[in-house]
Amino acid sequence: ALGYLQHRCEDTALAVVGAFRPEQVMPGDPLSRLVPTARIELGPLSAADLALSGMPELYAKTGGHPLFVVAATTAANGDEMPHELRELVLARCRAEGPNEFRALVVASMLRQPFDPDILAGILDTDPVELLEVLERLCERRLLRIDGNRFRFHYDVIREALRESLSPARRRLLQQRVREAGGHRSR
């Protein structure tokens, strides 16, 4: 409908305002084909912006991402991730696909930044194919490149993935990480 309006009302004074998260627009989505006449990109809040919150760990935990900040500040217990935030993060990670989700879960158990070769060994997958997956996850702002390694874009994503593991799965992954030399970190 927006594409139709854009073409039909080209000479009409018309404003349509919309908001979306670029990392949630999948390739091929009709929204990605729209050509905006104006765009305002909102970035994360800075550490200085969040300094007045009275929560010194807020920026480190959320990276200033407004959605994560709101969820963290409304939490009843500041030490525990709010259930709603955890479910939101997990849903976003699962939406990337089963292989991507599996890579994210295992990567959450590795020392940060993590070596993609170690992750490929644990996942028993082709390192080149895994690099393509990791790079897509960087485009989707779940991971970021750190030299020749990768790390989670926001600590809250890593925490949500780790907290979602059953004790049995956590123990098994910790064992595989130790065997692969990825040294699990807190």
Coordinates of all heavy atoms in Angstrom, one line a residue, residues 54-58 61 71-83 85-86 155-156 159-160 163:
G54 N 20.8 6.4 37.5 CA 21.1 5.8 38.8 C 21.4 4.3 38.7 O 21.5 3.7 39.8
M55 N 21.6 3.8 37.5 CA 21.9 2.4 37.3 C 23.2 2.3 36.6 O 23.3 2.4 35.3 CB 20.8 1.7 36.6 CG 19.5 1.7 37.2 SD 18.1 1.0 36.2 CE 18.6 -0.7 36.1
P56 N 24.4 2.3 37.3 CA 25.7 2.4 36.6 C 25.9 1.3 35.6 O 26.7 1.5 34.6 CB 26.7 2.3 37.8 CG 25.9 2.0 39.0 CD 24.5 2.1 38.7
E57 N 25.3 0.1 35.7 CA 25.5 -1.0 34.8 C 24.6 -0.9 33.6 O 24.7 -1.8 32.7 CB 25.4 -2.3 35.5 CG 23.9 -2.7 35.8 CD 23.2 -1.9 36.9 OE1 23.8 -1.2 37.6 OE2 22.0 -2.1 36.9
L58 N 23.7 0.0 33.5 CA 22.7 0.1 32.5 C 23.3 0.1 31.1 O 22.9 -0.6 30.2 CB 21.7 1.2 32.7 CG 20.5 1.3 31.9 CD1 19.7 0.0 32.0 CD2 19.7 2.5 32.2
K61 N 25.1 -3.2 30.1 CA 24.2 -4.3 29.9 C 23.4 -4.1 28.6 O 23.1 -5.1 28.0 CB 23.2 -4.3 31.1 CG 22.3 -5.5 31.1 CD 21.6 -5.6 32.4 CE 21.7 -7.0 32.9 NZ 21.2 -7.2 34.2
A71 N 13.2 -2.0 29.1 CA 12.9 -3.3 29.8 C 13.7 -3.4 31.1 O 13.2 -3.8 32.1 CB 13.2 -4.4 28.8
A72 N 15.0 -3.0 31.0 CA 15.9 -3.1 32.2 C 15.5 -2.2 33.3 O 15.6 -2.5 34.5 CB 17.3 -2.9 31.8
T73 N 15.0 -1.0 32.9 CA 14.6 0.0 34.0 C 13.3 -0.3 34.6 O 13.0 0.1 35.7 CB 14.7 1.4 33.5 OG1 13.8 1.5 32.3 CG2 16.1 1.9 33.1
T74 N 12.5 -1.1 33.9 CA 11.2 -1.4 34.5 C 11.2 -2.7 35.2 O 10.2 -3.2 35.8 CB 10.1 -1.5 33.4 OG1 10.5 -2.4 32.4 CG2 9.9 -0.1 32.7
A75 N 12.3 -3.4 35.2 CA 12.4 -4.7 35.9 C 12.3 -4.5 37.4 O 12.7 -3.6 38.0 CB 13.8 -5.3 35.6
A76 N 11.6 -5.4 38.0 CA 11.4 -5.4 39.5 C 12.7 -5.6 40.2 O 12.9 -5.1 41.2 CB 10.3 -6.4 39.9
N77 N 13.5 -6.5 39.6 CA 14.8 -6.9 40.3 C 15.9 -6.5 39.3 O 16.0 -7.2 38.3 CB 14.8 -8.4 40.6 CG 16.0 -8.8 41.3 OD1 17.0 -8.1 41.3 ND2 16.0 -10.0 41.8
G78 N 16.7 -5.5 39.6 CA 17.7 -5.1 38.7 C 18.8 -6.1 38.4 O 19.5 -6.0 37.4
D79 N 18.9 -7.2 39.2 CA 20.0 -8.2 38.9 C 19.5 -9.2 37.9 O 20.3 -9.9 37.4 CB 20.4 -8.9 40.2 CG 21.1 -7.9 41.2 OD1 21.6 -6.9 40.7 OD2 21.0 -8.1 42.4
E80 N 18.2 -9.4 37.8 CA 17.7 -10.5 36.9 C 17.1 -9.9 35.7 O 16.4 -8.9 35.8 CB 16.7 -11.3 37.7 CG 16.2 -12.5 37.0 CD 15.2 -13.3 37.9 OE1 15.6 -13.6 39.0 OE2 14.1 -13.5 37.4
M81 N 17.3 -10.5 34.5 CA 16.8 -10.0 33.3 C 15.3 -10.2 33.3 O 14.8 -11.2 33.6 CB 17.4 -10.8 32.1 CG 16.9 -10.2 30.8 SD 17.5 -11.1 29.4 CE 19.3 -10.8 29.6
P82 N 14.5 -9.1 33.0 CA 13.1 -9.2 33.0 C 12.6 -10.3 32.0 O 13.2 -10.5 30.9 CB 12.6 -7.9 32.5 CG 13.7 -7.0 32.6 CD 15.0 -7.8 32.6
H83 N 11.6 -11.1 32.4 CA 11.1 -12.2 31.5 C 10.7 -11.7 30.1 O 11.0 -12.3 29.1 CB 9.9 -12.8 32.2 CG 9.3 -13.9 31.4 ND1 9.9 -15.1 31.2 CD2 8.1 -13.9 30.7 CE1 9.1 -15.9 30.5 NE2 8.0 -15.1 30.1
L85 N 11.8 -9.1 28.4 CA 13.0 -8.8 27.6 C 13.7 -10.1 27.1 O 14.0 -10.2 26.0 CB 14.0 -8.0 28.5 CG 15.3 -7.7 27.8 CD1 15.1 -6.9 26.5 CD2 16.2 -6.9 28.7
R86 N 13.8 -11.1 28.0 CA 14.4 -12.3 27.6 C 13.6 -13.0 26.5 O 14.2 -13.4 25.5 CB 14.5 -13.3 28.8 CG 15.2 -14.6 28.5 CD 15.4 -15.5 29.7 NE 14.5 -15.4 30.8 CZ 14.7 -14.8 31.9 NH1 15.8 -14.2 32.2 NH2 13.8 -14.8 32.9
D155 N 25.4 -7.2 25.4 CA 25.5 -8.2 26.4 C 24.2 -8.8 26.7 O 24.1 -10.0 27.1 CB 26.2 -7.6 27.6 CG 27.6 -7.4 27.5 OD1 28.2 -7.9 26.5 OD2 28.2 -6.6 28.3
V156 N 23.1 -8.1 26.6 CA 21.8 -8.6 27.0 C 21.4 -9.8 26.1 O 20.7 -10.7 26.6 CB 20.7 -7.4 27.0 CG1 20.4 -7.0 25.6 CG2 19.5 -7.8 27.8
E159 N 23.3 -12.8 27.5 CA 22.7 -13.2 28.7 C 21.4 -13.9 28.5 O 21.2 -15.0 29.2 CB 22.5 -12.0 29.6 CG 23.7 -11.4 30.2 CD 23.4 -10.1 31.0 OE1 22.3 -10.1 31.6 OE2 24.2 -9.2 31.0
A160 N 20.5 -13.4 27.6 CA 19.3 -14.1 27.4 C 19.4 -15.5 26.9 O 18.8 -16.4 27.3 CB 18.4 -13.3 26.5
E163 N 20.8 -17.8 29.7 CA 19.8 -18.0 30.7 C 18.7 -19.0 30.2 O 18.0 -19.6 31.0 CB 19.1 -16.7 31.2 CG 20.1 -15.9 32.1 CD 19.4 -14.6 32.5 OE1 18.2 -14.4 32.3 OE2 20.2 -13.7 33.0

